[in-house]
Amino acid sequence: MTTEAQADRQIIITRQFDAPARIVFLAHSKPEHVKRWFGPVDWPLTTCEMDFRVGGRFHFAMTGPNDEPGPPFGGEYLEIEQDRRIVYTNGFDAPGSPRFVTEVTLEETGGKTTLTQVTTFESKAVRDQYVEMGYAEGTNSAYDQLGDVAVELKG
């Protein structure tokens, strides 16, 4: 696992999964799988609406411990390359909330997949705000769960 801040506006997270790229991609592309891993451990997705195609949109919301509702968020899928790459916008649904772009790339070697997520924020200040909110920790917690889901899906 690697997490780093780069280019003042980016957070880059790299993870390896014990599953082929097609399985990791599948876990990103179907709501029934995304609901099982997306979000920090104690903040499951309680809303997971996805139109997984270029130009399609998604809308998510999480609920935390003690049924604490998280702010809804979502975005648009900009690029999808089967089993290799997903690019999408994201951000909270509140008016005036900053938007960011996330690119997920998958590289398979020997049946294992290296996932690299590059998130580019509008500015360094916005990136710093998301760092303070625990963006990297939450994403890595989600990817821990994705590892479990990917192993189950590969059978």
Side-chain angles (χ1 to χ4, degrees):
M1 168 177 62
T2 307
T3 302
E4 58 186 277
Q6 199 172 61
D8 285 341
R9 298 182 5 197
Q10 294 181 331
I11 296 174
I12 300 172
I13 297 173
T14 303
R15 297 290 297 262
Q16 188 173 63
F17 297 96
D18 187 18
R22 67 180 176 75
I23 296 294
V24 178
F25 185 87
L26 175 66
H28 278 81
S29 65
K30 304 278 185 199
E32 62 268 26
H33 303 314
V34 172
K35 282 184 81 163
R36 295 179 56 211
W37 67 265
F38 194 96
V41 167
D42 293 326
W43 286 83
L45 280 181
T46 48
T47 299
C48 182
E49 299 166 1
M50 297 173 56
D51 180 8
F52 190 74
R53 63 180 177 81
V54 173
R57 300 193 59 79
F58 66 94
H59 180 77
F60 294 165
M62 295 184 251
T63 300
N66 304 316
D67 291 326
E68 177 185 348
F73 59 98
E76 179 182 353
Y77 296 104
L78 302 176
E79 299 176 41
I80 298 173
E81 225 180 299
Q82 183 73 36
D83 301 338
R84 297 186 40 126
R85 188 166 175 261
I86 305 165
V87 181
Y88 57 91
T89 63
N90 199 353
F92 293 118
D93 287 348
S97 291
R99 308 301 296 168
F100 51 91
V101 175
T102 299
E103 175 183 11
V104 175
T105 57
L106 307 173
E107 292 185 29
E108 182 179 334
T109 305
K112 295 183 187 286
T113 300
T114 300
L115 177 152
T116 303
Q117 176 183 304
V118 179
T119 303
T120 304
F121 297 89
E122 292 177 353
S123 67
K124 180 184 182 314
V126 172
R127 189 218 52 203
D128 291 349
Q129 181 181 24
Y130 273 81
V131 167
E132 286 182 29
M133 288 190 306
Y135 180 83
E137 294 84 359
T139 301
N140 277 309
S141 178
Y143 283 153
D144 289 344
Q145 296 173 97
L146 173 57
D148 295 337
V149 171
V151 167
E152 288 178 27
L153 288 174
K154 82 173 187 176

